[in-house]
Amino acid sequence: MNENNNGNGSGNKRGAMKRTHYILQPDARDKEKQHLENEEEEVQTKVTKLEQPQKKVKRNGVLIIMYPPEAGLGRTKEIPESSKIIIGRQPGVEVQLINDSVSRQHAQIISNNGKYMIRDMGSTNGTYVNDTMIRGRRFIKNQDMIRVGTVLLKFLHGDQYETIYHDEVYRLTIIDALTDAYNKRYLIDYLDREIERTKRSDYPLSLVMIDIDHFKEFNDNYGHLIGDLVLKEVARRIKSTVRKNEIFARYGGEEFTVALPDTGLKGAMEFAERARKAVGDNKMNTEGSMVTVTISLGVYTFDPNHENINSPEELIQKADTNLYKAKNAGRNCVVYE
């Protein structure tokens, strides 16, 4: 009996130990399982956050006045969703442009469901999108150029509006919007730096001043709208002869300038003759009328080994003197010194 009792007792003790061991083991596994589940949940939460789509901000369309400066260069007008705005000279319209080439109620832009459409309102000088006259209505898209009379406006729309807007505002500080040439301000800054570089390098710097012959007659006979078309086409033709390292600028009115770094008199004369032929050899189409346009050019080369020039104005004056000699010599020619 004692043996049986002892055996049972010892058996019970070992059984208790086993049961105790058995109870602890599942608990450890449960803790490990819970730990893994927590880690998995944390990973899933992080992935879910990364995959959440970002909400798009809806942007209204915007017009920016690009040209001429007196029309309010850089001024903007927002076009709200589901709205209609009128562009014209008349007081009270949404986009008032004080310019004789603009009709009182010139054009209308209609916004509907994220799309924008423009229509001419029977204007005298027409409405153009990217240099094409519109008839009836036409959809407009981001970065389209709109012309009402002689006023240029740029249309912006979309998620990249702010970036494009700041880029355009910067361009307005250095680029002439009508001709897409650098403006006078940029030219002066460039020449100021280039004159100093020329002195250090001992390489020549040439400057070509260009004037459109009898340009006033185009404005008087055909109007400023045709005059602007002539300016654009003359600029385009001259620009086609300019290399990447050279600077083409609109100096003012119907005058242009080309700066030719590291270029002597011979090279400058060759360039000027190419530009003269590019403009005058073929007639220009201006609203259905074929007209012949010529230019006069004055060339001056600054050689730091033979003279000293201290300012952009001094260099421009020397080239301008030769330009007037070309005009007095009968126009449509090149004069150099």
Side-chain angles (χ1 to χ4, degrees), residues 198-211:
T198 298
K199 291 177 181 179
R200 293 193 302 270
S201 67
D202 288 338
Y203 287 106
L205 167 63
S206 292
L207 195 70
V208 182
M209 294 294 291
I210 305 167
D211 189 78

Side-chain angles (χ1 to χ4, degrees), residues 17-226:
M17 289 178 66
K18 285 182 180 180
R19 282 196 295 274
T20 303
H21 182 70
Y22 182 77
I23 292 169
L24 287 172
Q25 190 66 26
D27 185 61
R29 288 199 301 269
D30 288 344
K31 286 182 179 180
E32 180 65 21
K33 182 179 178 183
Q34 183 63 42
H35 176 68
L36 290 172
E37 286 177 351
N38 290 341
E39 283 189 343
E40 184 178 359
E41 183 180 357
E42 184 180 355
V43 170
Q44 287 177 345
T45 303
K46 288 178 181 177
V47 172
T48 302
K49 286 180 180 178
L50 289 173
E51 290 179 348
Q52 284 180 352
Q54 295 195 5
K55 295 180 180 179
K56 290 186 178 180
V57 178
K58 197 169 185 179
R59 299 284 187 185
N60 292 328
V62 175
L63 289 175
I64 307 177
I65 298 176
M66 305 292 289
Y67 178 88
E70 56 269 21
L73 190 66
R75 183 160 60 94
T76 62
K77 173 63 181 179
E78 188 169 334
I79 310 168
E81 175 65 24
S82 301
S83 67
K84 298 178 181 180
I85 67 166
I86 293 176
I87 304 169
R89 199 177 72 250
Q90 177 179 296
V93 299
E94 287 79 4
V95 183
Q96 186 184 18
L97 302 172
I98 309 300
N99 187 290
D100 290 341
S101 67
V102 178
S103 296
R104 291 176 63 79
Q105 292 193 0
H106 197 110
Q108 184 182 54
I109 295 180
I110 303 160
S111 164
N112 185 28
N113 197 27
K115 295 182 179 180
Y116 294 81
M117 183 180 294
I118 189 169
R119 73 178 184 91
D120 186 77
M121 300 179 70
S123 66
T124 301
N125 292 316
T127 302
Y128 296 73
V129 176
N130 301 326
D131 288 331
T132 300
M133 179 182 279
I134 64 172
R135 302 185 185 281
R137 299 184 177 192
R138 170 174 169 167
F139 283 107
I140 52 177
K141 60 184 184 301
N142 185 38
Q143 299 197 61
D144 274 349
M145 191 70 81
I146 299 168
R147 175 157 60 88
V148 291
T150 60
V151 179
L152 295 179
L153 306 104
K154 194 155 198 173
F155 174 72
L156 299 180
H157 178 238
D159 296 336
Q160 299 299 316
Y161 157 71
E162 287 187 8
T163 300
I164 298 171
Y165 170 74
H166 289 299
D167 288 345
E168 289 299 331
V169 170
Y170 172 70
R171 274 178 56 84
L172 287 175
T173 66
I174 64 171
I175 299 290
D176 174 67
L178 178 67
T179 60
D180 205 35
Y182 285 111
N183 58 23
K184 183 178 178 179
R185 174 185 172 183
Y186 183 89
L187 173 70
I188 297 298
D189 288 345
Y190 171 82
L191 288 178
D192 199 30
R193 297 189 304 271
E194 197 61 27
I195 287 171
E196 293 306 312
R197 190 192 71 83
T198 298
K199 291 177 181 179
R200 293 193 302 270
S201 67
D202 288 338
Y203 287 106
L205 167 63
S206 292
L207 195 70
V208 182
M209 294 294 291
I210 305 167
D211 189 78
I212 301 176
D213 297 330
H214 305 295
F215 182 72
K216 186 176 183 299
E217 293 180 10
F218 284 104
N219 283 333
D220 292 344
N221 296 334
Y222 300 103
H224 288 278
L225 184 62
I226 299 300

